[in-house]
């Protein structure tokens, strides 16, 4: 199951690929969190063993970028066909 670092928007394939060692079950919920994940430093010195990952997919935050891409793609296609007229 994938795990998500919601603060940085990074998703790992599983808790093992994130290097997590401890599972935390919240009382009264089905939500599973993972602690002590070694791969959360992302190559930097900011490793914090108390930081948690959640067992879920990360929500993509590509709203504005995808709209801009679609508009530019549409303009490029129209310009391509306009040159052949």
């Amino acid at each position: 199951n994938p795990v998500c670092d919601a603060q940085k928007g990074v998703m790992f394939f599983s808790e093992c690929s994130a290097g997590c060692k401890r599972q935390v079950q919240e009382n009264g919920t089905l939500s599973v969190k993972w602690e002590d994940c070694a791969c959360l430093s992302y190559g930097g010195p900011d490793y914090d063993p108390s930081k948690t990952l959640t067992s879920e997919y990360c929500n993509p935050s590509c709203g504005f970028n995808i709209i801009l891409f679609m508009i530019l793609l549409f303009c490029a296609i129209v310009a391509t066909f306009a040159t052949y007229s």
Side-chain angles (χ1 to χ4, degrees), residues 25-69:
Q25 183 82 29
E26 292 185 357
N27 291 335
T29 65
L30 298 176
S31 173
V32 175
K33 294 190 176 189
W34 295 91
E35 293 181 340
D36 198 12
C37 302
C39 296
L40 293 183
S41 63
Y42 306 111
D46 61 347
Y47 174 67
D48 181 8
S50 66
K51 189 173 180 183
T52 61
L53 297 180
T54 55
S55 291
E56 62 187 3
Y57 289 98
C58 289
N59 291 327
S61 59
C62 60
F64 178 73
N65 293 336
I66 193 74
I67 292 171
L68 181 63
F69 173 74

Side-chain angles (χ1 to χ4, degrees), residues 73-85:
L73 180 65
F74 175 76
C75 292
I77 291 171
V78 169
T80 299
F81 287 113
T83 59
Y84 290 113
S85 301

Side-chain angles (χ1 to χ4, degrees), residues 4-5 9 17-19 21 24 30-31 60 67 82:
C4 177
D5 180 1
S17 65
K21 298 176 184 167
V24 178
L30 298 176
S31 173
I67 292 171

